[in-house]
Every structure is written in structure tokens, then in C-alpha cells.
Amino acid sequence: MHFKSKSICAFLIFTFLLQSCTVYQKTPVSISEAITTNNKVVITKTDFTKHKFRRIEQIEGQYYGVIKSNGNRVNVPLIESDIKSIRILDEKKSKWKTAGVIVAASIATLLIASAIISTSIDNSMKHIDILPY
């Protein structure tokens, strides 16, 4: 029973670590550049709050940040004068960071699993009586 709970815990940790990482470019871009990239963006407003959007669109002269809420697409109106900076997704760095997390999580999971198995074997060996000839 003890081995199963540790295995489940290790599996859950591994699963959470496999979540993809998102890295944004350091250099801010204009709102028109953000629209043409059609990528995820993070917007820092003049009050220093940050908002993440799947992309930015312009509809009838109005800018919108697109998010998903409860499985539905939602257009959040953006006021250009409230925007301090816009940074777009850096796909290459995001992929490398995700790969690094996966490799690190895999190594950690293997180490945890080997420690659990080693402890389990040690504990089971203590119960074996070796009798002399």
C-alpha cells in the first residue's frame, strides 16, 4: 500500500511538471506587430498589471485581446493609451524550456522511483531469515 501511494505521488508530480512553459520576448512590440504575429502576448498596462492573451485582433477599428473562458472565446476590449508594453511569445525559447523541464522531471521521477524501489527491496529483505546449513 505504501509503495502505491508513493508511486501515485511521483506520477502526479511528473504530470504537473510536464505543463508547457511560456517565454515571452524581452523586447516590446507595437500593437500592430502583435496583431500580425497572431501569437500569444502579454500586455503590461500603465498600472503595471499584466494580462495574457491568446492573440490580439482588430475588429472595426477596436483592439481586442482574445482569451478563452469556460471553453468560450472572449474578446476583451483594449485601450491603446492604457498599454505600457506588449511582448509576444518566443516560440523557440518556450520549446527549449519545456524540453528542459521534461528532461529534469524525467530524471527526478526516475530517481524517486529508484529510491522507492530500493527502500521497498531493503524492507522486504529484512523479513527474510537466513538459516545456517
Side-chain angles (χ1 to χ4, degrees):
M1 180 71 176
H2 195 255
F3 178 73
K4 280 187 177 180
S5 64
K6 283 186 177 182
S7 298
I8 291 169
C9 186
F11 175 75
L12 289 173
I13 289 170
F14 183 72
T15 303
F16 286 120
L17 289 174
L18 286 180
Q19 301 298 316
S20 63
C21 300
T22 306
V23 179
Y24 295 94
Q25 294 178 357
K26 291 183 179 184
T27 308
V29 297
S30 68
I31 198 162
S32 58
E33 288 175 285
I35 291 170
T36 58
T37 63
N38 204 30
N39 273 339
K40 290 182 179 180
V41 297
V42 64
I43 292 179
T44 304
K45 290 192 166 189
T46 53
D47 63 358
F48 297 100
T49 58
K50 292 185 179 187
H51 302 276
K52 294 179 182 179
F53 298 102
R54 291 179 171 261
R55 67 182 160 276
I56 296 177
E57 294 180 349
Q58 185 178 17
I59 303 170
E60 297 178 4
Q62 172 67 43
Y63 296 111
Y64 295 93
V66 178
I67 61 170
K68 254 196 179 168
S69 178
N70 298 325
N72 298 319
R73 175 192 158 116
V74 177
N75 290 337
V76 178
L78 300 173
I79 300 169
E80 202 170 355
S81 61
D82 288 345
I83 297 173
K84 183 174 188 222
S85 70
I86 302 171
R87 294 183 300 135
I88 57 174
L89 174 73
D90 189 328
E91 291 183 33
K92 187 182 264 186
K93 286 183 183 177
S94 293
K95 287 177 185 176
W96 277 106
K97 192 169 182 181
T98 300
V101 168
I102 290 171
V103 169
S106 299
I107 291 170
T109 302
L110 289 173
L111 291 174
I112 291 169
S114 66
I116 291 170
I117 292 169
S118 168
T119 303
S120 175
I121 291 171
D122 288 346
N123 288 339
S124 65
M125 295 299 281
K126 289 179 184 176
H127 300 292
I128 298 175
D129 292 328
I130 300 177
L131 299 173
Y133 294 106

